Amino acid sequence: MLRIPAPADSVWKALLDVPYLVSCMPGVENVEETAKNTYKCMVSAKVSYISTTFDMTVNISKKIEGKLLETIAEGKALHGLGRLIQKQTVALKPLSDKETEALYTSELTLTGPLAAFGQQAIAAKFNDMADSFTRAFLARFKRNNHE
């Protein structure tokens, strides 16, 4: 759970602003919209001695205006290291005119050699990336609201 010092409508706008979001995400590059609510991008990550890049497709699968955003990201690791599916949900709850609570959840599924390497290690890395995103997202709101 994250408390954001901004009204819910400002937080919602930021969640739908892809360039703004990407600027907060470590390892994400080459984002392009391929269809309404569908994006392609490359995501690089290093876990222990293994570095890989995923060719990802991200779909906004559910959107309840101002309240809930759900995405499903599917990706294939370059060099045949496996595939991943990540379901992410952000639920917003206004606490006041100047503060919003955001609840973020994520489910990660891996297949192939990466899964054999250790689902827990890779899930921990993706959780670290999510934490980095959350810190960057919050820092930007503290500096100046997304308007």
Side-chain angles (χ1 to χ4, degrees), residues 63-84:
K63 188 176 3 177
I64 300 173
E65 189 70 29
K67 296 181 185 215
L68 181 84
L69 185 67
E70 183 177 280
T71 63
I72 297 176
E74 296 185 54
K76 180 179 175 185
L78 303 183
H79 312 297
L81 293 176
R83 297 184 59 77
L84 73 78

Side-chain angles (χ1 to χ4, degrees), residues 65-123:
E65 189 70 29
K67 296 181 185 215
L68 181 84
L69 185 67
E70 183 177 280
T71 63
I72 297 176
E74 296 185 54
K76 180 179 175 185
L78 303 183
H79 312 297
L81 293 176
R83 297 184 59 77
L84 73 78
I85 298 172
Q86 185 175 27
K87 179 180 176 184
Q88 301 173 89
T89 304
V90 179
L92 299 180
K93 177 182 172 188
L95 298 176
S96 71
D97 291 347
K98 298 179 181 179
E99 188 174 40
T100 302
E101 181 178 88
L103 177 60
Y104 171 79
T105 58
S106 176
E107 299 170 23
L108 179 69
T109 304
L110 293 167
T111 61
L114 283 175
F117 172 71
Q119 174 107 9
Q120 280 187 311
I122 293 164

Side-chain angles (χ1 to χ4, degrees), residues 1-2 7 13 26 37 46-47 51 55-56 63 76 80 93 104 143 146:
M1 200 169 336
L2 177 67
K13 287 178 192 173
N37 295 325
K46 181 175 182 179
V47 180
S51 293
D55 183 6
M56 304 287 298
K63 188 176 3 177
K76 180 179 175 185
K93 177 182 172 188
Y104 171 79
R143 282 197 305 273
H146 182 273

Side-chain angles (χ1 to χ4, degrees), residues 14-75:
L15 288 174
L16 299 178
D17 183 342
V18 174
Y20 182 83
L21 286 178
V22 170
S23 73
C24 300
M25 294 179 180
V28 177
E29 307 176 323
N30 304 325
V31 178
E32 66 177 275
E33 186 173 15
T34 58
K36 184 178 179 175
N37 295 325
T38 302
Y39 302 86
K40 287 194 66 66
C41 64
M42 303 299 279
V43 178
S44 298
K46 181 175 182 179
V47 180
S48 186
Y49 58 88
I50 296 177
S51 293
T52 193
T53 300
F54 292 89
D55 183 6
M56 304 287 298
T57 299
V58 181
N59 294 297
I60 296 174
S61 56
K62 186 174 186 181
K63 188 176 3 177
I64 300 173
E65 189 70 29
K67 296 181 185 215
L68 181 84
L69 185 67
E70 183 177 280
T71 63
I72 297 176
E74 296 185 54

